[in-house]
Amino acid sequence: MIELSRLSLCMIVKNEEDCIGRCLDSVKDVVDEIIIVDTGSTDRTIEICNSYGADVLQFSWNENFSDARNYGIERATGDWILWLDADEEVDKAERYKLRDSLYQDDYDLLFIHLVNYYGNEVDPDKVINVEHSRLFRREKGFRFVNKIHETINANEILKTKEELERIGRIPLKVYHYGYLNRAVDEKKKYERNITMLKKELDEDNHSPWIHYHIGSEYYRINEFEIAFEHVNKSIVEFILAGYTPPSMLYKLKYSILISLGSFEGAWPGIEKAVALYPDYVDLQFYKGVILYYKDMVQEALKVFDHCIELGEENLKYLILRGLGSFQAWYYKGLCLEKMGEIEEAIHAYQESLSQCDTLDAAREALNKLLDKEVR
């Protein structure tokens, strides 16, 4: 007889009446208990959570997201913990995969596919994809660390080769709406995050990630010079601590330099980043953009072809939708047009638009070439 495993949903919330129902609706039929840690809601959040049969716990906010999450985990009774944010939603067509995953005895920690929307509205072509650890066995001692941008302490629990092999993945998408422009503005996330991050930066032995997260906040509001300063400090701190800087740092660094139009400053440094992470399509794409604007067009064309070959399925990296598909085809078109290969350029623009019909730059470039062809 198969022993039934129980699944606990653990969340922390504050004033989430606009989205908490959507989140709970997406998992109510597949979890065995709902543990909600409320850090001071003054709207209908608690009332809505109660309507789903949640166990709502009060937690006095101490400016530490990990403490709040761990408070909920300590009171959960399930064999497995699923953690979500209120501004997230599990794909309803895939949610039963959560139940299937409970009986995979080979794993202690499971990753899902996190789909992060950005921009003014939900658009499947404006997303950042990455795999994210969201399910873990309660009895293994997993806990959250870091006051902000909290993460699971997987490195402390899974150390040996055998233990690391107990990390798995399930084909389940979770949609995150919290960084759409409206949500960021309403929640005043920039002000909250930057204040907390700077406080943590003042602490002794702060994580090298703190400068990265500060840089990300400044990047989001187009303060590129300040963002660049912080991402470089993060890279240095990782190196001094004896670690290879994570791929996300180089993605942010070269995105900043491209935003600043500093193509000379980005070359040839991008080569070293690509050598560290050769299968990271975003870094390859940035290399292609840098080469294109340095008028190294033939070299850039080869890079964009490689981006298309790599695609966007390698979710161990933070992947910006389009860089291994329609954006790479658009830049391929630019390269071909510059080389005088007009028919091939037209095909590239058409391919780009077939994958994303809202890419105005590709449409304008295509129409311009077609108008010339008619004349």
Side-chain angles (χ1 to χ4, degrees), residues 231-286:
V231 74
N232 275 336
K233 286 181 178 179
S234 182
I235 290 171
V236 170
E237 288 189 358
F238 270 105
I239 293 172
L240 291 176
Y243 297 103
T244 300
S247 58
M248 294 162 60
L249 276 66
Y250 292 111
K251 173 183 171 67
L252 178 58
K253 176 176 180 174
Y254 289 100
S255 181
I256 291 169
L257 287 171
I258 289 171
S259 297
L260 288 169
S262 181
F263 304 109
E264 293 298 330
W267 183 263
I270 184 70
E271 291 272 54
K272 296 179 181 179
V274 168
L276 286 173
Y277 302 102
D279 57 341
Y280 190 4
V281 68
D282 290 44
L283 286 180
Q284 293 281 359
F285 180 85
Y286 294 154

Side-chain angles (χ1 to χ4, degrees), residues 339-370:
M339 294 164 60
E341 304 288 346
I342 303 305
E343 290 299 322
E344 291 84 352
I346 289 173
H347 169 72
Y349 293 140
Q350 289 173 332
E351 184 62 34
S352 176
L353 288 166
S354 75
Q355 297 178 17
C356 176
D357 62 5
T358 59
L359 188 59
D360 291 338
R363 190 175 305 282
E364 290 171 7
L366 175 62
N367 289 339
K368 191 174 179 181
L369 287 185
L370 291 177

Side-chain angles (χ1 to χ4, degrees), residues 28-41:
K28 64 180 181 180
D29 297 328
V30 293
V31 299
D32 297 291
E33 71 174 353
I34 300 173
I35 305 293
I36 301 289
V37 175
D38 186 84
T39 62
S41 292

Side-chain angles (χ1 to χ4, degrees), residues 11 78 218 264 322 331:
M11 301 177 63
Y218 281 114
E264 293 298 330
Y331 268 91

Side-chain angles (χ1 to χ4, degrees), residues 40-274:
S41 292
T42 56
D43 62 2
R44 295 180 57 250
T45 296
I46 295 176
E47 177 187 342
I48 295 170
C49 291
N50 285 331
S51 73
Y52 285 88
D55 184 4
V56 180
L57 310 171
Q58 294 301 316
F59 182 84
S60 181
W61 179 239
N62 64 348
E63 295 192 345
N64 190 315
F65 285 98
S66 287
D67 283 353
R69 289 202 188 277
N70 292 333
Y71 185 78
I73 291 171
E74 290 162 3
R75 284 148 185 82
T77 62
D79 301 286
W80 285 81
I81 303 291
L82 165 69
W83 67 277
L84 296 172
D85 286 329
D87 53 17
E88 294 177 337
E89 176 185 20
V90 174
D91 187 303
K92 291 184 179 180
E94 300 175 348
R95 60 184 170 179
Y96 290 101
K97 294 174 183 177
L98 287 169
R99 299 303 308 180
D100 296 339
S101 68
L102 304 185
Y103 304 103
Q104 299 188 32
D105 293 335
D106 294 336
Y107 301 117
D108 294 324
L109 179 68
L110 290 168
F111 283 73
I112 55 85
H113 175 181
L114 187 62
V115 181
N116 298 281
Y117 291 104
Y118 66 90
N120 293 322
E121 59 186 18
V122 173
D123 182 340
D125 290 322
K126 290 186 177 180
V127 298
I128 299 172
N129 294 294
V130 71
E131 62 179 18
H132 211 267
S133 55
R134 291 304 185 94
L135 278 157
F136 56 86
R137 291 188 191 272
R138 182 174 60 88
E139 65 181 20
K140 291 295 179 178
F142 290 105
R143 289 293 182 270
F144 287 90
V145 294
N146 301 330
K147 292 182 178 180
I148 183 171
H149 295 296
E150 64 280 15
T151 58
I152 295 291
N153 63 340
N155 292 339
E156 298 175 11
I157 305 298
L158 306 175
K159 298 179 180 178
T160 68
K161 179 181 178 182
E162 291 76 15
E163 288 170 337
L164 291 171
E165 289 175 351
R166 296 187 63 79
I167 299 175
R169 288 147 186 84
I170 55 175
L172 171 76
K173 289 187 286 294
V174 173
Y175 305 106
H176 179 219
Y177 305 98
Y179 280 101
L180 289 169
N181 292 341
R182 178 182 174 185
V184 171
D185 293 341
E186 288 180 353
K187 298 285 185 180
K188 297 182 178 179
K189 287 189 176 181
Y190 166 76
E191 293 87 346
R192 180 200 69 187
N193 290 356
I194 205 71
T195 299
M196 292 183 65
L197 286 165
K198 285 186 175 180
K199 283 184 180 179
E200 193 154 352
L201 190 62
D202 290 335
E203 295 185 5
D204 294 334
N205 301 317
H206 62 262
S207 167
W209 280 109
I210 301 303
H211 274 298
Y212 166 78
H213 290 308
I214 292 174
S216 296
E217 294 296 333
Y218 281 114
Y219 177 79
R220 197 172 288 121
I221 62 168
N222 298 328
E223 293 284 354
F224 298 126
E225 290 86 356
I226 302 175
F228 187 70
E229 176 186 344
H230 282 284
V231 74
N232 275 336
K233 286 181 178 179
S234 182
I235 290 171
V236 170
E237 288 189 358
F238 270 105
I239 293 172
L240 291 176
Y243 297 103
T244 300
S247 58
M248 294 162 60
L249 276 66
Y250 292 111
K251 173 183 171 67
L252 178 58
K253 176 176 180 174
Y254 289 100
S255 181
I256 291 169
L257 287 171
I258 289 171
S259 297
L260 288 169
S262 181
F263 304 109
E264 293 298 330
W267 183 263
I270 184 70
E271 291 272 54
K272 296 179 181 179
V274 168

